[in-house]
Amino acid sequence: MTKVPSGWRRFLIFLPLLCFLPYFFSVRELHQSKTFQDLPTKKGKKFDHLVLGPAAGEGLPNRLQCQGTKALNKTHFSTSSHASTFGNNIAFVTVFTIYNSSLGVRADERASNLVVVGNASYSTEERSMAILHTFVNFIQVTMPKTNIFILTDPASDLSISRNGVTVYPIQGEYSRDKLMLQRIRSYIAFLEARLWELSQKPEHISHYIFTDSDIAVVDDLGHIFHDFPNFHLAFTFRNNKAQPLNSGFIAVRGTADGILRAKKFLQEVLEIYKSKYMNASRMLGDQLALAWVVKSHPSFDASRFSKPRVFLEDVGGASVLFLPCATYNWTPPEGAGQFHGMPLDVKVVHFKGSRKRLMLESWNFFNSYSDISDMLCLVLKSGRTKYDF
C-alpha cells in the first residue's frame, strides 16, 4: 500500500469542504470582507445564500454609502438614541396565521424542504414563525415601548410568548386565496373593538400602525403622530400608475374620530374590493381597491404620487396622510426598481416575496454587530437576487 504524505492527506480531507465553501458565508465573514465578487447567477434561479453586489446609489446625495458591509455614512437611527422618543401609546398590528402544510408529508420529503439560514434549519411553518419573531425583534429594538397585536384565525395553532405581544383571534376566512380580503375585515373588526374600549376609557388613547409581518422597523415611527397632528389615517405611496398605494403600512390615529374615520374608509375599500377586484383576491386586490377609493375622489391629484414627498389630503371626509415608500416602506430590489439606493432617512424595510431569507439574515447580522447602518448595507448589497423563500 502506497503511503500518502501527511500534507496531501490533510488536503484530501478538506477538499470536500472547499467545494462547498461558497455556501457557508457567515454574517461575520461578510462583515469583515472588504471586497465582494458576484457569484455566478442564472436567470430565474433562487439562491440559498446571500449574493452581494455593488450598492445602488453610490455617490448620490442623501443615500447610504457602503464599503463592503461597512456604512460610510449613518442613517438617522444610528445617530440617535435607541430609546424611542415618541413611541409611547403606539401599537403595531399585523395579521398572521399558520397553514399546516406538513400534515401527511413523509419525513424524507419534509427534510428535503428544510431551509437553512445561519445555524438554524426551518420547515415551512418554522420559517414563517421565524419571520414573525424577527418582525417583533426589530420593533422591540427600535420602539421598545410599543405593544404588538397579532390578529389571527381562532382555529390557528398560534402560540407566541413574548413581552408586549398579544395574540388576538378574530373569526373569519383565512385561506390563502382570501387572506388579503380577510386582512381588511380583521383590521375593521380590531378598530371596532378599539372604538368600544375607548368609549369606556376615553383617556386611554393609543395610536396604531397596521403592517405586514415581513417588515423591519429600523427607526422610530412615533414621530408621524407628533409631526402631523391633523391626519386620521396614513398610507405609503410610490410612483406606480396602477398600484400607487401599498397596503402593507397603514397608520391610524387613536382618537375616537381617527378610529371611526379609518374604519369607515376601510369599509369602503372592502366594498370596492368585493365588487371590482375579487379576481385578484389572492394578491393585489386590496391595493387596487385602495387606489380606486383614493383616486375616485374628484379633487384628488394623482400626479402627487410621482414625487416622494409627504402630503395631506381630504378623501371622503377623512384626513389622509400620504407617506413616501422610499422612507416608510422601502423594498430591497429584486431584479428591478430602487436603483437610486437607500435613503438615509429610511424607517421601514419591507422584505416582500422571496426576500424573507434576507430578513432573517439581516436580523442575524444586526444581532452580531448591533449597527443598523451596517446591517442596511448588507440589505442594500444583497439586492437584485432571488432567494429561496
Side-chain angles (χ1 to χ4, degrees):
M1 182 176 179
T2 304
K3 185 176 181 181
V4 179
S6 61
W8 276 103
R9 279 204 304 272
R10 286 194 295 270
F11 176 77
L12 291 173
I13 290 172
F14 287 105
L15 182 59
L17 294 176
L18 293 174
C19 295
F20 290 97
L21 188 59
Y23 295 95
F24 290 96
F25 282 121
S26 69
V27 293
R28 185 172 297 277
E29 289 166 332
L30 288 171
H31 185 69
Q32 292 173 343
S33 298
K34 294 183 179 180
T35 60
F36 299 92
Q37 293 181 348
D38 289 337
L39 299 177
T41 63
K42 279 187 178 181
K43 190 173 182 180
K45 176 180 174 60
K46 289 187 177 183
F47 291 89
D48 60 356
H49 55 282
L50 295 184
V51 179
L52 302 185
E58 289 183 3
L60 295 179
N62 200 31
R63 293 294 187 271
L64 185 64
Q65 304 297 310
C66 305
Q67 186 175 60
T69 55
K70 188 68 179 175
L72 301 179
N73 49 4
K74 296 294 182 180
T75 59
H76 291 185
F77 178 78
S78 300
T79 57
S80 64
S81 169
H82 280 212
S84 174
T85 306
F86 306 109
N88 290 324
N89 302 321
I90 292 176
F92 283 83
V93 185
T94 192
V95 170
F96 183 89
T97 192
I98 293 176
Y99 300 102
N100 195 349
S101 57
S102 63
L103 291 175
V105 177
R106 298 197 315 268
D108 58 337
E109 291 178 348
R110 183 181 182 278
S112 67
N113 290 326
L114 289 177
V115 172
V116 178
V117 180
N119 295 323
S121 60
Y122 303 100
S123 66
T124 301
E125 293 77 19
E126 288 166 345
R127 67 196 190 209
S128 294
M129 288 301 300
I131 292 295
L132 182 63
H133 280 283
T134 302
F135 165 76
V136 173
N137 292 342
F138 275 114
I139 292 172
Q140 292 187 338
V141 165
T142 53
M143 299 180 67
K145 298 179 182 179
T146 58
N147 294 312
I148 301 169
F149 291 91
I150 302 171
L151 313 185
T152 190
D153 183 357
S156 176
D157 185 20
L158 178 60
S159 177
I160 176 168
S161 180
R162 301 280 298 268
N163 289 334
V165 178
T166 301
V167 176
Y168 195 102
I170 293 178
Q171 289 289 348
E173 187 176 358
Y174 289 82
S175 65
R176 294 181 191 274
D177 289 341
K178 300 291 177 63
L179 187 59
M180 293 299 98
L181 194 67
Q182 179 58 43
R183 181 169 70 170
I184 300 178
R185 288 177 171 143
S186 295
Y187 286 175
I188 292 170
F190 180 83
L191 289 173
E192 287 174 342
R194 301 286 76 75
L195 197 59
W196 182 86
E197 287 182 2
L198 196 58
S199 70
Q200 305 303 303
K201 297 180 180 179
E203 70 281 3
H204 289 182
I205 292 178
S206 179
H207 306 305
Y208 301 99
I209 300 176
F210 297 81
T211 73
D212 290 348
S213 59
D214 55 359
I215 70 159
V217 177
V218 296
D219 201 352
D220 186 359
L221 295 172
H223 79 95
I224 297 172
F225 302 96
H226 178 270
D227 295 347
F228 307 101
N230 298 319
F231 78 91
H232 297 121
L233 70 164
F235 299 105
T236 55
F237 72 92
R238 60 210 167 191
N239 187 17
N240 183 308
K241 187 175 181 180
Q243 299 168 39
L245 298 170
N246 183 272
S247 57
F249 183 103
I250 303 172
V252 174
R253 187 171 297 281
T255 61
D257 192 37
I259 294 174
L260 180 60
R261 291 178 187 269
K263 187 192 79 157
K264 289 182 177 179
F265 192 100
L266 291 178
Q267 285 173 329
E268 184 178 0
V269 172
L270 180 62
E271 291 308 311
I272 295 300
Y273 194 160
K274 292 190 295 184
S275 64
K276 293 180 176 291
Y277 300 110
M278 285 303 292
N279 60 333
S281 61
R282 182 160 187 160
M283 288 185 64
L284 306 180
D286 56 337
Q287 298 188 124
L288 295 171
L290 180 57
W292 191 96
V293 169
V294 170
K295 294 197 292 185
S296 66
H297 287 271
S299 62
F300 188 82
D301 181 7
S303 67
R304 302 188 75 173
F305 290 143
S306 63
K307 297 179 180 179
R309 297 174 184 167
V310 178
F311 66 95
L312 190 68
E313 193 78 31
D314 185 87
V315 181
S319 180
V320 182
L321 183 68
F322 293 92
L323 303 166
C325 282
T327 299
Y328 296 92
N329 203 342
W330 189 86
T331 301
E334 187 189 64
Q338 304 289 2
F339 291 114
H340 299 298
M342 182 184 293
L344 285 174
D345 62 350
V346 66
K347 300 185 185 303
V348 174
V349 178
H350 195 165
F351 296 92
K352 301 175 187 174
S354 62
R355 300 167 179 86
K356 306 295 186 292
R357 165 180 286 278
L358 182 53
M359 183 176 179
L360 297 183
E361 296 273 16
S362 299
W363 173 254
N364 289 342
F365 185 98
F366 177 76
N367 214 23
S368 296
Y369 299 102
S370 299
D371 190 297
I372 286 285
S373 292
D374 288 357
M375 183 204 76
L376 291 176
C377 278
L378 178 73
V379 174
L380 185 62
K381 292 176 72 68
S382 300
R384 307 193 185 110
T385 303
K386 290 190 176 296
Y387 303 110
D388 59 352
F389 66 95

